[in-house]
Amino acid sequence: MERNKYDVFISYSSKNQKVVEAMCAYLEQHKVRCFVAYRDIPKGVVWAKAIVEALDESKMMVVVFSEEFNMSDQVDREIELASEDKKPILTFRISNTMFKGAKKYYLKNINWIDAFPNPENLFDSLLDNVAKLIGFSLSEKERQERGYKPIQDNNKQYPKIINGHEYVDLGLPSGLKWATCNVGANKPEEYGDYFAWGETEAKQEYISENYKNVRVIRKKGFLGIGKKEKFGFDISGNPQYDVARKNWGGSWRMPTKDEMQELVDYCEWEWTEVNGVKGSNVIGPNGNCIFLPAAGYRYGTSLKFDGYYVRYWSSTRDGNLYDDSAGYLYFYNGDGGVYGSGRFYGQTVRPITE
């Protein structure tokens, strides 16, 4: 029997057949050969035998994960067979349901895409990840015949998605994942938007006089004047002040100073250019990489030192209660660390997730 008759074996619950039909049509429109049981197992054929043969003839598995899928015992055997054969497994989550039982054992620590509540909006990302997982096993002739475009993959990672935003696992001790783009950007090399620390909207001018999040009050005491904060020492995950949580939702948040320091301590930093934009590749212990563009910062109405300085806000206030600064990540051509800066300056934000 011919090997690799299919590119993708789609594992799913019959209650999600409409999503599977649309997904299969999209992949096959782009020359990806799919096996779906409801369509490809002829009547009268022993079901178990047909499943085993189809898995054997497929390059990888795509799991359409949902609450109904979580409750199915039949699919456990499909996932187990694919895992035993060391086939790549990509999970396409169409509901906000966490893995249970055998699914947790087999699927939790491998690639997945969060595609709820509108799975069709993530079909393009699914196609891209499928092509990465199977495309390099095709000969150049097969790629041309089947319409594959060359895939640039200088890193090892296959980005995963939460709420429509990609992240990369750098292999950090904390297990934290870093987004591939800044807040307000659509590509890794784009600067995105600039924010004063603790503010969730970009603005035209960045000066101390229009900074919103510290109010000055008169009080009795040695100094005669003090500043009262509107928030605590760290704003990470607070949607009122954390621009990543406010704008991206889900588990996205701003990194703390300690989490930024982990990036400095455990990663290699390589000054480079991406599509003409200067910045740094940050290479994790596992070899995966993110790009941080040198977006500089905004003061007043001007953009300062773009193309020279990598500067990103942390979620952590700097200094004591009456200090007007906050922690930020800095890097320039071989020199970097985590420092403090006035909170009213406009700087970029790179979100993280657990």
Side-chain angles (χ1 to χ4, degrees):
M1 185 174 293
E2 178 190 357
R3 300 284 293 183
N4 298 129
K5 180 179 178 181
Y6 306 104
D7 293 316
V8 173
F9 179 104
I10 300 178
S11 182
Y12 65 99
S13 164
S14 60
K15 294 182 180 179
N16 303 130
Q17 186 168 319
K18 288 186 177 180
V19 174
V20 173
E21 288 175 352
M23 173 195 296
C24 182
Y26 185 88
L27 292 175
E28 291 185 336
Q29 179 184 356
H30 292 83
K31 313 301 182 183
V32 176
R33 301 167 298 178
C34 299
F35 172 87
V36 282
Y38 73 85
R39 179 192 69 181
D40 295 321
I41 298 181
K43 293 182 180 180
V45 173
V46 177
W47 188 274
K49 181 174 181 292
I51 291 292
V52 171
E53 289 179 351
L55 273 168
D56 189 48
E57 295 166 2
S58 300
K59 293 179 181 291
M60 66 170 292
M61 171 181 283
V62 168
V63 169
V64 181
F65 190 83
S66 65
E67 182 63 39
E68 294 81 7
F69 187 93
N70 228 9
M71 302 300 292
S72 172
D73 294 330
Q74 175 66 37
V75 295
D76 289 348
R77 291 186 281 273
E78 296 176 358
I79 298 170
E80 182 179 5
L81 286 170
S83 181
E84 288 177 352
D85 288 344
K86 295 182 170 52
K87 294 183 184 294
I89 300 175
L90 177 63
T91 302
F92 193 72
R93 295 178 66 221
I94 63 172
S95 67
N96 190 13
T97 304
M98 295 312 297
F99 307 111
K100 298 178 183 179
K103 285 89 169 175
K104 185 174 183 179
Y105 178 83
Y106 286 111
L107 301 178
K108 183 178 180 181
N109 293 318
I110 59 176
N111 298 334
W112 78 68
I113 297 172
D114 284 340
F116 48 86
N118 299 306
E120 64 278 5
N121 292 344
L122 276 298
F123 284 174
D124 187 56
S125 179
L126 173 67
L127 174 65
D128 182 58
N129 280 269
V130 166
K132 288 175 180 177
L133 289 168
I134 68 171
F136 294 107
S137 64
L138 298 173
S139 69
E140 187 62 32
K141 180 180 179 181
E142 284 178 306
R143 292 184 203 177
Q144 293 175 0
E145 288 176 348
R146 294 166 57 181
Y148 282 114
K149 297 179 180 179
I151 299 170
Q152 300 298 323
D153 190 3
N154 297 322
N155 304 314
K156 297 178 182 179
Q157 75 269 20
Y158 300 108
K160 304 173 187 178
I161 294 176
I162 292 178
N163 278 11
H165 302 282
E166 292 184 345
Y167 67 82
V168 171
D169 182 355
L170 296 171
L172 298 168
S174 67
L176 291 172
K177 318 301 190 298
W178 284 75
T180 59
C181 294
N182 295 346
V183 174
N186 295 312
K187 298 178 181 178
E189 67 271 21
E190 293 180 356
Y191 292 168
D193 295 325
Y194 294 76
F195 304 91
W197 189 83
E199 295 184 3
T200 57
E201 295 182 0
K203 53 190 181 183
Q204 296 297 317
E205 187 177 25
Y206 295 83
I207 54 176
S208 59
E209 288 77 8
N210 69 7
Y211 181 58
K212 300 177 181 179
N213 289 328
V214 175
R215 59 188 174 95
V216 179
I217 59 172
R218 294 282 177 181
K219 70 173 186 178
K220 294 181 180 180
F222 179 73
L223 297 177
I225 187 171
K227 296 183 176 72
K228 184 175 181 180
E229 301 290 351
K230 290 185 176 180
F231 35 61
F233 188 73
D234 197 287
I235 60 174
S236 186
N238 183 338
Q240 189 174 355
Y241 304 109
D242 182 337
V243 64
R245 179 61 59 86
K246 173 70 179 299
N247 290 7
W248 285 18
S251 58
W252 291 110
R253 61 181 177 85
M254 294 172 66
T256 66
K257 279 183 65 176
D258 289 343
E259 290 162 346
M260 284 186 158
Q261 190 63 50
E262 180 185 50
L263 205 66
V264 173
D265 292 341
Y266 287 92
C267 295
E268 295 181 18
W269 292 66
E270 175 187 66
W271 192 256
T272 186
E273 288 189 17
V274 173
N275 294 327
V277 178
K278 294 181 180 179
S280 180
N281 278 333
V282 183
I283 306 167
N286 62 5
N288 292 346
C289 176
I290 59 173
F291 177 72
L292 299 179
Y297 64 94
R298 288 193 173 275
Y299 174 61
T301 58
S302 300
L303 178 59
K304 305 285 188 179
F305 296 105
D306 61 308
Y308 293 92
Y309 294 165
V310 171
R311 290 177 60 134
Y312 287 84
W313 280 128
S314 80
S315 61
T316 311
R317 284 176 37 211
D318 197 45
N320 58 43
L321 180 63
Y322 304 116
D323 196 335
D324 281 338
S325 63
Y328 74 97
L329 178 69
Y330 166 86
F331 186 80
Y332 170 64
N333 199 13
D335 178 37
V338 182
Y339 304 101
S341 175
R343 301 182 210 165
F344 65 86
Y345 289 103
Q347 296 188 156
T348 47
V349 172
R350 180 61 64 95
I352 61 169
T353 186
E354 273 72 20

